[in-house]
Amino acid sequence: MYDSWEEDLKNNVGATKLMVIPMFPQYSESTIASGVDALAKELSKRVKIPTFEVITNFHRTHAFIDNSVTQVDAKVEELKKEGIDIDKLVISFHGMQKRRVVFKGDDYYRHCYETYRLIVDRLKHLKPEQAVMTFQSRFGSEEWITPYTEDTVEKLIEEGNKELMVYSPSFVADCLETTDELGHELAEEAKEWGGNVYPVECLNTNEQWCKDFAKYVMTQAEGSAQDKEDIEYQLKAEDYDHMPKLVMNQS
C-alpha cells in the first residue's frame, strides 16, 4: 500500500494525509503505543512520508457506546424469550499489570471505567446496579488490575446470582483468547459453581456498527473541531466519584 502511495505521489494523485485508527477502543501503552512504534519504524524506512494523525482511542464515541448498548440489550431480550432472567452483567476488560496504571499513569484503567459507565447508564433492560466491572486474562505472579473476572463471577454465584451475562468491550472483533477464556473456560467454571455465564458477542460485522464507525472515521477525517466533539459522549467530574482507586498490594 505504501509503495503504491509513493507511486501516486509521482503522478500528483497521492493522498496527502494518513489517518491511523488502531482498533482498540481504549488507549494503553501495550497496544496503541506499540502500534505507533511499529508505524514509526515503517516510516523511518521511507524518504517521503505523509502528514499523519493517530487516533489513540474511540471508547467514548456514540458509534461504539450505542452499538455496545444495543448488543447487550439484544442479548438480554434473547435470553428472556428463553425464560432466562439475567441477575448480573459482568463487563470484563482485558487485563493489564497494575503498575502500568499506578506508577506509569497509563490511561487504560480510566478509559475502561468510562466505557463501563457509559454503557451501563444507557441500558434499557438492566439497571446500573446490576453491572460490575472486572478484568480478565492475567498471567504470571505480577499484580494485575482488579477485580479479577473469574473471582468476581465465583463470588456473584455464591451470593445467589445464578444467571450472569458477560461482555468484553476491550475489542470490536472477536479475540480468540477472550472468546475461549470467557465463552468456554469461564462458562464451564460457572456451571461447576452452580450458575451460568452467557457471553455477549463482539460488535464484529454488525451492520449498524460498521455504518456508524464509518461515519465516525469520516468525521475525524473531514469534520470540524465541534463535529469531532459532538460524536463523543462527555463525562462530568461526578461521573468518576465511584471509580475504584487502584493501589498496589504492599504484601
Side-chain angles (χ1 to χ4, degrees):
M1 182 179 69
Y2 209 110
D3 291 335
S4 64
W5 173 75
E6 288 185 322
E7 191 63 33
D8 286 341
L9 277 185
K10 296 177 183 178
N11 299 318
N12 296 316
V13 294
T16 58
K17 181 179 179 180
L18 172 67
M19 185 168 68
V20 181
I21 307 180
M23 294 304 288
F24 295 98
Q26 302 84 19
Y27 172 86
S28 79
E29 179 188 20
S30 58
T31 54
I32 308 301
S34 62
V36 174
D37 287 343
L39 173 64
K41 185 176 181 180
E42 176 61 31
L43 293 179
S44 69
K45 304 174 185 177
R46 305 290 177 166
V47 174
K48 295 182 178 181
I49 63 173
T51 298
F52 68 92
E53 176 184 10
V54 179
I55 307 300
T56 60
N57 67 85
F58 56 86
H59 66 288
R60 291 191 289 112
T61 62
H62 293 186
F64 179 63
I65 294 299
D66 291 349
N67 283 284
S68 290
V69 168
T70 298
Q71 196 87 337
V72 172
D73 275 333
K75 186 66 174 182
V76 175
E77 290 181 342
E78 174 191 322
L79 292 171
K80 195 168 187 65
K81 290 178 181 178
E82 298 175 9
I84 300 169
D85 291 321
I86 293 299
D87 296 313
K88 292 285 185 178
L89 167 65
V90 178
I91 296 187
S92 180
F93 295 90
H94 198 278
M96 173 189 284
Q97 297 93 335
K98 190 181 286 187
R99 61 176 168 79
R100 290 181 178 271
V101 177
V102 176
F103 296 137
K104 300 184 73 175
D106 197 302
D107 287 332
Y108 181 67
Y109 180 66
R110 177 172 59 83
H111 285 186
C112 289
Y113 181 79
E114 290 172 347
T115 305
Y116 166 79
R117 189 80 269 152
L118 289 169
I119 290 175
V120 302
D121 286 346
R122 287 163 176 77
L123 293 173
K124 294 180 180 179
H125 304 307
L126 294 173
K127 299 176 181 178
E129 55 266 30
Q130 287 180 274
V132 293
M133 179 177 74
T134 64
F135 295 84
Q136 90 263 353
S137 302
R138 71 187 192 276
F139 58 88
S141 59
E142 189 172 354
E143 189 177 6
W144 288 55
I145 299 176
T146 53
Y148 300 135
T149 299
E150 184 179 1
D151 294 348
T152 301
V153 167
E154 183 177 13
K155 183 179 179 181
L156 286 172
I157 292 174
E158 287 177 352
E159 293 172 345
N161 302 286
K162 304 296 185 181
E163 307 296 344
L164 307 177
M165 200 162 68
V166 60
Y167 180 53
S168 183
S170 291
F171 308 98
V172 294
D174 287 329
C175 168
L176 291 179
E177 176 191 359
T178 300
T179 298
D180 185 63
E181 187 173 2
L182 300 182
H184 298 132
E185 293 180 9
L186 184 63
E188 290 175 3
E189 288 178 323
K191 287 185 180 298
E192 294 176 3
W193 298 327
N196 294 296
V197 163
Y198 306 96
V200 180
E201 291 184 2
C202 274
L203 295 174
N204 289 316
T205 56
N206 176 282
E207 184 176 358
Q208 190 60 51
W209 152 245
C210 292
K211 288 180 179 179
D212 290 344
F213 191 72
K215 291 178 183 177
Y216 164 74
V217 172
M218 290 302 298
T219 301
Q220 285 290 357
E222 301 179 353
S224 66
Q226 186 61 54
D227 291 336
K228 294 177 183 179
E229 183 176 336
D230 290 344
I231 58 175
E232 289 193 344
Y233 286 111
Q234 307 301 321
L235 286 88
K236 300 177 181 178
E238 54 265 31
D239 291 322
Y240 298 91
D241 289 346
H242 298 291
M243 182 173 73
K245 184 177 180 180
L246 289 184
V247 179
M248 296 297 294
N249 191 337
Q250 299 301 315
S251 60

